[in-house]
C-alpha cells in the first residue's frame, strides 16, 4: 500500500481542480516554487495555510493532513439509525398496544362486575345497584389512568430531536387517536 502524503494529495487536488502550481500559489500568496516543494514533499505548508488550502479544495484540514479523503460511512450509519428508529418505534407501539388492551380488559371486567352485582346481589335483597355502579366506576377509572400512563410513556419514548421523523409523527397521531377512542369507551 502506497503511503499517502500531504504533497501528493495537494498535487492531486490541484490537478483535479484544473489549477496550475502558479495559480494555486497566487491564491495562497506564496511562490510557485513553494507549491512545487510541497508537492515533492520537500517541505510542508505553513500551519496557518492548512485551513485555507483545505477550503480551496473543499476538503477538511484533517483530510489534508492525512493526505487522503476520509471514507464516509454515513450510508451505514444512516442504515443503523433507521433500524434503531424502527426497533424503538416497534417496541413503543407494542408496549402501547399492550397497555391499551389491558385498559380495555379492566373496563370489560368492571362492566361484568357491575352487571353481576346489580343482577346477583339485587335478587338477594341487598342494594346491588350501588355496589355494581361503584365497582364499575372504580374499574373504569383504573382503566383510564392506566391508559393515560401508557400514552404518556409512549409519547415520552418518542419525544427526542433524534427521532424527528415522519414515522414518529405518524405514530404519535395514531396514539393520540387511539387514546381518544379508548377514553370515549371508558
Amino acid at each position: 500500500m502506497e503511503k499517502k502524503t500531504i504533497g501528493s494529495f495537494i498535487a492531486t487536488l490541484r490537478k483535479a481542480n484544473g489549477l496550475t502550481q502558479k495559480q494555486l500559489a497566487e491564491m495562497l500568496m506564496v511562490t510557485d516554487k513553494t507549491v512545487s516543494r510541497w508537492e515533492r514533499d520537500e517541505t510542508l505548508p505553513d500551519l496557518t495555510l492548512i485551513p485555507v488550502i483545505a477550503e480551496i479544495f473543499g476538503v477538511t484540514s484533517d483530510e489534508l493532513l492525512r493526505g487522503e479523503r476520509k471514507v464516509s460511512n454515513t450510508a451505514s450509519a444512516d442504515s443503523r439509525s433507521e433500524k434503531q428508529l424502527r426497533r424503538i418505534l416497534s417496541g413503543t407501539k407494542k408496549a402501547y398496544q399492550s397497555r391499551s388492551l389491558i385498559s380495555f380488559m379492566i373496563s370489560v371486567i368492571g362492566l361484568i362486575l357491575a352487571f353481576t352485582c346489580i343482577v346477583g346481589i339485587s335478587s338477594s335483597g341487598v342494594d346491588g345497584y350501588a355496589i355494581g355502579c361503584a365497582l364499575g366506576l372504580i374499574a373504569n377509572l383504573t382503566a383510564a389512568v392506566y391508559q393515560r400512563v401508557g400514552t404518556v410513556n409512549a409519547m415520552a419514548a418518542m419525544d427526542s430531536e433524534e427521532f424527528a421523523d415522519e414515522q414518529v409523527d405518524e405514530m404519535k397521531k395514531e396514539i393520540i387517536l387511539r387514546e381518544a377512542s379508548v377514553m370515549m369507551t371508558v
Side-chain angles (χ1 to χ4, degrees), residues 2 5-25 27 35-36 38-40 53 56-57 64 69:
E2 183 181 324
T5 65
I6 295 174
S8 63
F9 191 51
I10 290 173
T12 302
L13 292 170
R14 179 182 56 76
K15 292 173 188 172
N17 284 282
L19 295 173
T20 64
Q21 287 180 342
K22 184 173 182 148
Q23 289 170 323
L24 179 59
M27 294 170 84
V35 173
S36 176
W38 295 342
E39 291 182 359
R40 290 192 316 262
I53 296 168
I56 289 171
F57 294 127
L64 191 60
R69 284 202 181 263

Side-chain angles (χ1 to χ4, degrees), residues 31-89:
T31 66
D32 57 338
K33 291 186 186 328
T34 302
V35 173
S36 176
R37 281 185 291 218
W38 295 342
E39 291 182 359
R40 290 192 316 262
D41 291 315
E42 291 177 5
T43 61
L44 293 172
D46 186 73
L47 191 57
T48 59
L49 289 177
I50 296 294
V52 179
I53 296 168
E55 186 175 330
I56 289 171
F57 294 127
V59 297
T60 65
S61 295
D62 185 52
E63 290 173 323
L64 191 60
L65 292 170
R66 289 177 186 264
E68 62 184 353
R69 284 202 181 263
K70 186 176 180 181
V71 177
S72 176
N73 289 334
T74 55
S76 65
D78 288 347
S79 173
R80 276 183 285 170
S81 64
E82 181 66 27
K83 286 179 185 175
Q84 181 184 17
L85 175 63
R86 281 195 306 254
R87 189 172 31 252
I88 289 170
L89 287 178

